Amino acid sequence: EVNENPFPKRLNLSDKSEGSPSSVTGNGVEEDYTSDDYYDDANRPKGSETDTRTSQEILDERINNLEPEEIGRVRQAIQRRKEDDKAVRAANARLLKAKIELEKAQKKMEEARKCVEEATERANANIEKDADDLLLEPTPWNNYYKQLKIFYDREGHSNFKRTITEADVVGMTEDQAKELKTLSWWTCRQRKFKRRGELEQYKILLLNRLNFNWDPHAGPGPEKWLKNYQHLKDFKAKYGHVKVPLKYAENKLGSWLKTQITQYRNAKEGRQPCLSEERIRLLEEIGVCWG
């Protein structure tokens, strides 16, 4: 017959036999034994050496002595606990593996970043030296650039309207009109390529030498804008207000003012093209309403 409690939970203070573990603390309080005090190396309760069953077998027998309903609940709970323990161990193993792989990937990322920085630094160092030599290569890009440089040396600027109309070439020869339209088209493409990150650094350097404007959305140059602004002031002096009709033909002032209102709204919404703060202030000083 199996002894349900083969060892005492507390030591009898009168037990003074040799080898008995002390169960009294320094302040005289009696303590419980730990499980290590009661199980031998075979995981059997001490004192039950004659019982050859394992602890699991003893546990199974005790479970079988429960009520049928309780037996099922206990065994299901034990099975769930085993499955949950197994799942947690597997998840922890995957997490540990992922951490190791992440550390390796981060190390490779840092090494790659350093390689990019070093390569970029070397490339930038060679730009100034190689730009003029690369310009000698007989490529379409170099041919267009040389045309732009000729125009820049002659006219003093390298900026063009996005769209050239017939009104823009009135009084020009056929060759002059063709030059203007060609350079307008080509310079617009260079801005687009740069925004996409597709324009080589030496080309950017060469264009910068011609004071190339990479962001023409700020609007027309100050001289042209101020000329239209003066037309608006003259309109106010004549009519007492700045509500210019859209169809007002003189100096295309109605169309120009509509553009300023659109660019004002763009500025407030963070879009391009937009008015600068200075131009907004000047227009408001003479009574322009943005509604």
Side-chain angles (χ1 to χ4, degrees):
E1 180 180 355
V2 179
N3 187 350
E4 294 294 336
N5 188 13
F7 44 86
K9 189 173 184 181
R10 294 180 181 272
L11 177 67
N12 190 329
L13 292 179
S14 63
D15 185 359
K16 303 297 183 180
S17 61
E18 183 179 354
S20 297
S22 174
S23 64
V24 181
T25 63
N27 57 10
V29 177
E30 190 176 6
E31 292 185 337
D32 291 340
Y33 288 113
T34 64
S35 60
D36 290 340
D37 296 318
Y38 301 115
Y39 286 92
D40 60 18
D41 294 338
N43 202 28
R44 294 190 301 267
K46 291 181 179 179
S48 61
E49 290 81 358
T50 57
D51 193 335
T52 60
R53 294 175 300 168
T54 65
S55 297
Q56 184 60 49
E57 291 172 338
I58 295 174
L59 179 61
D60 287 340
E61 180 181 323
R62 293 177 179 176
I63 290 175
N64 290 331
N65 291 331
L66 298 173
E67 294 294 330
E69 180 184 350
E70 294 175 339
I71 292 174
R73 288 165 55 191
V74 169
R75 294 199 181 282
Q76 288 177 6
I78 291 174
Q79 183 62 29
R80 282 194 298 271
R81 184 186 64 186
K82 290 180 179 179
E83 292 174 354
D84 289 343
D85 288 346
K86 182 179 179 180
V88 170
R89 287 194 301 271
N92 281 326
R94 289 181 60 186
L95 178 61
L96 178 59
K97 182 179 178 181
K99 287 181 178 179
I100 294 173
E101 292 175 350
L102 177 61
E103 290 175 358
K104 292 180 179 179
Q106 289 175 333
K107 184 177 179 181
K108 290 182 179 179
M109 179 79 74
E110 186 60 29
E111 292 173 351
R113 185 181 293 110
K114 289 181 179 179
C115 288
V116 170
E117 291 174 354
E118 292 172 358
T120 302
E121 185 177 351
R122 286 194 302 270
N124 290 337
N126 290 328
I127 287 176
E128 285 284 354
K129 179 178 64 176
D130 295 337
D132 291 321
D133 294 337
L134 291 171
L135 192 56
L136 298 174
E137 187 179 6
T139 65
W141 193 94
N142 286 346
N143 291 335
Y144 281 116
Y145 177 82
K146 291 172 183 177
Q147 292 181 44
L148 180 63
K149 188 174 186 308
I150 292 172
F151 181 92
Y152 176 81
D153 291 340
R154 184 181 72 240
E155 303 294 338
H157 72 87
S158 60
N159 300 309
F160 303 87
K161 291 174 59 177
R162 180 176 299 177
T163 303
I164 303 298
T165 65
E166 292 302 319
D168 295 314
V169 297
V170 171
M172 293 185 179
T173 65
E174 184 178 345
D175 288 342
Q176 289 173 334
K178 181 179 179 181
E179 176 190 49
L180 190 64
K181 292 179 180 179
T182 298
L183 292 178
S184 173
W185 164 80
W186 186 77
T187 53
C188 283
R189 286 174 60 83
Q190 305 317 299
R191 295 186 185 98
K192 181 176 67 175
F193 292 147
K194 184 175 183 292
R195 286 195 301 270
R196 293 178 177 175
E198 299 174 358
L199 195 61
E200 296 175 82
Q201 286 297 318
Y202 86 92
K203 295 178 180 178
I204 296 174
L205 173 69
L206 289 171
L207 288 168
N208 284 339
R209 290 179 181 177
L210 306 183
N211 294 323
F212 192 77
N213 183 5
W214 295 105
D215 185 18
H217 293 305
E223 294 180 0
K224 184 176 180 179
W225 191 90
L226 289 173
K227 182 178 180 180
N228 286 318
Y229 178 70
Q230 183 60 49
H231 291 325
L232 184 61
K233 291 176 68 177
D234 294 340
F235 179 92
K236 181 179 181 180
K238 183 176 181 179
Y239 297 102
H241 63 82
V242 291
K243 297 180 180 179
V244 184
L246 183 59
K247 295 182 180 181
Y248 188 78
E250 187 176 349
N251 302 316
K252 298 182 180 179
L253 191 58
S255 177
W256 179 82
L257 182 58
K258 183 177 185 297
T259 298
Q260 307 313 299
I261 294 173
T262 299
Q263 292 188 2
Y264 168 84
R265 292 171 181 167
N266 288 347
K268 296 306 177 182
E269 296 173 3
R271 296 185 299 176
Q272 295 288 351
C274 65
L275 277 180
S276 66
E277 291 296 329
E278 176 65 15
R279 292 182 179 181
I280 292 173
R281 182 185 65 80
L282 289 172
L283 290 168
E284 289 178 344
E285 282 182 356
I286 61 174
V288 171
C289 296
W290 306 110

